[in-house]
Amino acid sequence: MSSSGWILAVCLVVLEGGRHAVWAEEGSGSERNCSAIPPYLPPTAVNTTLRIRDLRASMIPLNISAYIIPATDAHLSEYIAPRDARLAWMSGFTGSAGTAVITQNKAVLWTDSRYWIQAERQIDCNWELERDASVRSITNWLILEIPEGGQVGFDPFLFSVDTFDVYNTNLAPAGRILKSIPDNLVDKIWTGRPPLPPDNPIRLPDNVIERTWPMKVEQIRAQISDNPYKPTAVLLSALDETAWLFNLRGNDIPFNPFFYSYTLLSMDEIWLFVHIERITEELKVYLNSSCYHSYCVQLLEYSSVRSYLQSYLQKLNVRVWVGTEYTNQALYELITPEDKLLTTTYSPVLTTKAVKDATEQHILKEAHIRDAVAVMQLLVWLEKKVPEGTETELTAAHFVDQCRSKQKNSRGPSFETISASGANAALAHYSPSNETARKLSVDEMYLVDSGGQYLDGTTDITRTVHWGKPTDFQKEAYTRVLMGNIEISRSVFPAGTRGVNMEMLGRRALWEVGLNYGHGTGHGLGNYFGVHEWPVGFQSNNIPFQEGMFTSIEPGYYKENDFGIRIEDIAVTVPATTKHGNNYLTFETVSLVPYDRKLINTSLLSPEQVHWLNKYYESIRSVVGPELERQALKEEYDWMMKHTAPFLSAGASAVISSVTLLVTMLPSVLLHNLL
């Protein structure tokens, strides 16, 4: 074995047990083997020995037997900044879902099935892996490992109200005590912790705003005033709440235009907790920060939110309204006695933000038109390049990012692109890396789930394609996924219907033949905000649909170690015309990219589904066609026209009339001569 092939040619003495773990040569096995002698570690594993040693030392003076490390931030965000990636730094595991617990003699990581393989590639032999992400599994382990009366430390900023309740409900009856430690122990030992990003928050331009921030404040204050439980203030903890309220955006969180902040809004005062040094003079003027009437924003340091909330609660006759879904335990535990607290699942800002105003709806649709151009550019490029055998999952992901970056108002991707071929696509949340990227092939199905951030909107779309000859089963599975997408999209329902009551429409065609998928069917979407915007969607804890809400519709099917299918569109709820009733809604699809007709078996579709599909393709032609022409993208325009030709109502495949295909494909000059 030559020394040049080593990533790390060292042996380290693991403190526990004195074992020697050997880091492997690049290109050897990809998962750790801690039972080997010496233990085998892949080059992707991280040496955590000193980090664990230092954390254990910091636990001793606090008299805690265990310390819990979640994978979130103080705002319970889905995406977190590098400086908040405490679980990743501590363990080496970079998956988005996981929890670590460290005691004086063990270090354990819990995560779900999406990340088991990734965890085995990234954690070293200091760690045990528990293949169950439930809080019950963690608390059962804690009860077995620490003695009765033992204290379990946690950072209350990283626990939601509900998460704390579940832990406490399980541990307290067993005599194990949760100890709130607001000064995070990982931060204290994290050498080289990334600093705050340097970018200052910015205000949105007037042309993408219908409601000014004082108008939004007035709207929320009206809900405070009308609430029968008489709150005096609302506490906003989720990052998108403050950003929405003040029409501000930032760059603190990857893929999400947010900035670190809290807001406390009362009927006559507004307190904004931010890193004040990042607020420019222009923004101070914009926020009226130099005055003290009811529409002046008082700027306070981000780190002072706990102390200021305590001061506010000392006043007489105050009651703070919080949404428990995004309020951390560090703030919630301060609101005592109980008569000073009012809770709902979501704050009034989140429920108000869920319904887009006319301007937000218009510009979000406009963003999707330009985004459709970028996705079509990708699909055209792949059709040409994949048969050459030179492209990979990673180059395809980079290409679609480049296409979006050239579109008007582009602000980067809205999440890390899921570019997955063959067996990789069977992992619903896979993203390619240099180590895992497969070469794209005409013999495999390919799934690409991607999205963009634009100044006027956020996008998220998934298409699955095959460049060769798909199997009959692949075509059936794809068609049944498409049927689920169409059935939700064409449904008519009373305003106020919950998404969970319609969710099975996305699964019915799959269920009929014993197929299913293991993820949600849809989520809300923001206006230059988060790509997964709560509380809209099809889950049990989502709010009822009202006119003007945007949601994804994304059924799928995944055959383990073979292929994956997902068809995802964004749709907006719009009024439906019915024969007898009023106040009914339906969905208008705003993602405008054709499906892979090679994978569609029209003999499985009902006439109504074929009609919907043809109307959708008419929309693509009429809406995206002019934009393709405006950008002088003739090749993409011709591709779009070919792939949106109408379907016949019957037949064993996605047939189109020969006349329609001929007209679609003939060059315009030749067609003119023929006519």
Side-chain angles (χ1 to χ4, degrees):
M1 183 183 301
S2 65
S3 60
S4 61
W6 290 81
I7 293 296
L8 182 59
V10 298
C11 293
L12 81 96
V13 177
V14 179
L15 297 183
E16 295 75 28
R19 297 182 300 165
H20 291 74
V22 178
W23 262 260
E25 187 178 44
E26 187 170 13
S28 50
S30 63
E31 297 178 26
R32 66 178 185 157
N33 183 355
C34 296
S35 61
I37 301 175
Y40 165 80
L41 294 173
T44 49
V46 174
N47 178 5
T48 62
T49 300
L50 297 181
R51 300 171 189 183
I52 292 173
R53 182 201 65 187
D54 292 345
L55 187 75
R56 285 172 173 159
S58 70
M59 293 165 56
I60 293 172
L62 296 170
N63 193 30
I64 56 175
S65 301
Y67 188 68
I68 302 173
I69 307 169
T72 189
D73 65 9
H75 305 275
L76 309 176
S77 306
E78 178 183 9
Y79 293 91
I80 60 175
R83 70 190 320 267
D84 291 320
R86 299 174 179 90
L87 176 63
W89 183 82
M90 198 69 218
S91 68
F93 171 68
T94 60
S96 63
T99 303
V101 176
I102 294 179
T103 66
Q104 287 299 328
N105 58 8
K106 289 187 178 180
V108 185
L109 171 69
W110 281 261
T111 191
D112 62 56
S113 59
R114 294 174 297 166
Y115 299 109
W116 291 343
I117 294 174
Q118 179 179 340
E120 293 287 7
R121 292 172 176 172
Q122 292 182 323
I123 60 178
D124 66 10
C125 290
N126 287 302
W127 292 86
E128 299 174 18
L129 177 62
E130 290 285 340
R131 298 170 186 264
D132 183 345
S134 68
V135 173
R136 169 66 70 177
S137 172
I138 299 171
T139 54
N140 285 347
W141 185 91
L142 285 166
I143 291 168
L144 290 173
E145 290 293 326
I146 66 175
E148 187 172 357
Q151 296 189 104
V152 179
F154 74 101
D155 180 349
F157 281 102
L158 305 183
F159 271 51
S160 71
V161 174
D162 292 338
T163 299
F164 173 81
D165 285 344
V166 175
Y167 272 95
N168 195 50
T169 298
N170 292 342
L171 291 174
R176 276 68 175 180
I177 303 162
L178 282 171
K179 182 173 182 177
S180 176
I181 305 173
D183 293 327
N184 191 278
L185 299 189
V186 176
D187 293 353
K188 292 187 174 190
I189 65 168
W190 188 349
T191 55
R193 184 185 178 204
L196 275 173
D199 300 337
N200 298 326
I202 61 169
R203 56 170 293 192
L204 289 175
D206 292 339
N207 65 335
V208 298
I209 295 170
E210 180 172 313
R211 291 168 288 180
T212 65
W213 73 259
M215 293 169 63
K216 291 180 175 180
V217 165
E218 183 176 2
Q219 196 173 3
I220 302 306
R221 280 176 170 163
Q223 295 182 57
I224 295 174
S225 178
D226 293 342
N227 192 295
Y229 297 98
K230 302 303 179 186
T232 60
V234 62
L235 176 64
L236 307 178
S237 295
L239 295 180
D240 58 343
E241 293 178 308
T242 291
W244 177 86
L245 185 66
F246 296 111
N247 291 327
L248 297 175
R249 299 295 186 269
N251 196 32
D252 289 353
I253 311 297
F255 307 116
N256 292 265
F258 304 145
F259 57 97
Y260 289 107
S261 57
Y262 297 94
T263 296
L264 184 63
L265 172 65
S266 74
M267 295 301 294
D268 50 12
E269 291 186 272
I270 309 167
W271 300 276
L272 172 58
F273 300 89
V274 290
H275 296 94
I276 296 178
E277 72 276 7
R278 305 169 73 193
I279 303 300
T280 63
E281 290 303 316
E282 178 186 4
L283 280 187
K284 289 178 181 178
V285 172
Y286 168 73
L287 294 169
N288 298 332
S289 64
S290 60
C291 58
Y292 294 95
H293 63 71
S294 61
Y295 288 93
C296 299
V297 179
Q298 300 178 42
L299 300 177
L300 299 170
E301 276 299 331
Y302 174 79
S303 59
S304 70
V305 61
R306 263 175 65 98
S307 59
Y308 196 88
L309 179 60
Q310 283 180 308
S311 298
Y312 179 79
L313 290 166
Q314 290 172 5
K315 298 179 181 180
L316 296 176
N317 302 316
V318 298
R319 172 174 284 182
V320 177
W321 185 357
V322 302
T324 56
E325 192 74 18
Y326 287 100
T327 299
N328 62 52
Q329 180 66 18
L331 300 182
Y332 183 84
E333 68 187 11
L334 299 178
I335 308 176
T336 58
E338 194 169 309
D339 62 1
K340 290 183 178 288
L341 173 68
L342 171 64
T343 64
T344 52
T345 303
Y346 302 107
S347 78
V349 164
L350 283 183
T351 54
T352 302
K353 178 168 63 68
V355 179
K356 313 304 183 195
D357 61 37
T359 297
E360 290 169 333
Q361 291 183 46
H362 172 73
I363 63 177
L364 191 46
K365 291 179 182 180
E366 290 290 313
H368 276 82
I369 295 171
R370 301 191 306 277
D371 195 73
V373 171
V375 177
M376 288 183 192
Q377 287 178 301
L378 169 71
L379 296 177
V380 170
W381 180 76
L382 288 173
E383 277 192 11
K384 294 186 299 183
K385 300 293 289 184
V386 169
E388 298 175 4
T390 58
E391 304 306 326
T392 69
E393 295 168 335
L394 206 55
T395 60
H398 292 161
F399 188 85
V400 74
D401 287 347
Q402 292 170 11
C403 292
R404 284 193 170 96
S405 70
K406 298 173 184 176
Q407 292 298 318
K408 177 185 174 185
N409 291 336
S410 174
R411 295 297 185 271
S414 56
F415 58 99
E416 185 177 6
T417 296
I418 298 171
S419 173
S421 180
N424 284 343
L427 304 171
H429 297 89
Y430 165 87
S431 290
S433 66
N434 290 326
E435 293 79 23
T436 64
R438 292 169 70 94
K439 184 171 289 188
L440 303 185
S441 166
V442 296
D443 298 321
E444 292 185 337
M445 297 186 77
Y446 172 69
L447 182 156
V448 56
D449 184 349
S450 65
Q453 291 287 10
Y454 302 89
L455 190 59
D456 47 352
T458 302
T459 67
D460 183 6
I461 182 172
T462 307
R463 290 295 181 261
T464 305
V465 297
H466 198 301
W467 299 289
K469 185 175 181 179
T471 67
D472 289 342
F473 177 64
Q474 288 173 332
K475 291 173 65 175
E476 179 183 6
Y478 182 94
T479 304
R480 290 185 179 277
V481 170
L482 177 60
M483 291 163 69
N485 184 300
I486 293 174
E487 282 305 289
I488 292 180
S489 300
R490 62 183 291 268
S491 62
V492 176
F493 51 93
T497 298
R498 289 185 175 274
V500 68
N501 296 329
M502 296 189 288
E503 200 259 3
M504 61 83 59
L505 294 174
R507 301 179 186 268
R508 184 170 59 186
L510 290 164
W511 285 355
E512 287 173 349
V513 293
L515 304 179
N516 204 356
Y517 54 94
H519 56 72
T521 299
H523 55 79
L525 188 84
N527 277 80
Y528 188 29
F529 260 143
V531 71
H532 297 154
E533 183 173 272
W534 287 80
V536 176
F538 294 91
Q539 298 187 37
S540 59
N541 57 349
N542 291 143
I543 61 176
F545 279 116
Q546 300 294 335
E547 181 183 349
M549 291 181 171
F550 282 74
T551 183
S552 71
I553 300 171
E554 50 180 302
Y557 171 70
Y558 309 89
K559 185 179 180 184
E560 188 175 359
N561 296 320
D562 194 348
F563 65 87
I565 298 166
R566 186 161 61 254
I567 300 173
E568 177 185 18
D569 293 309
I570 301 301
V572 58
T573 48
V574 296
T577 301
T578 61
K579 183 177 181 180
H580 299 294
N582 297 316
N583 202 27
Y584 280 74
L585 300 173
T586 189
F587 292 107
E588 175 190 333
T589 303
V590 300
S591 301
L592 297 167
V593 177
Y595 311 118
D596 188 351
R597 59 193 316 122
K598 181 185 293 186
L599 287 165
I600 301 173
N601 182 348
T602 55
S603 68
L604 297 175
L605 302 179
S606 69
E608 293 80 9
Q609 290 167 344
V610 174
H611 176 72
W612 183 93
L613 196 52
N614 286 336
K615 294 291 289 184
Y616 173 58
Y617 279 4
E618 289 175 13
S619 297
I620 294 176
R621 288 185 170 193
S622 64
V623 176
V624 184
E627 182 64 21
L628 290 167
E629 291 182 309
R630 190 190 68 79
Q631 296 189 29
L633 296 171
K634 185 179 186 305
E635 185 177 15
E636 286 77 7
Y637 180 88
D638 292 341
W639 180 93
M640 180 272 297
M641 292 296 291
K642 173 184 175 182
H643 286 78
T644 55
F647 292 91
L648 298 180
S649 296
S653 61
V655 295
I656 57 177
S657 72
S658 58
V659 174
T660 300
L661 182 58
L662 178 64
V663 171
T664 301
M665 297 302 296
L666 280 175
S668 58
V669 174
L670 178 57
L671 180 61
H672 176 77
N673 292 336
L674 287 174
L675 297 177

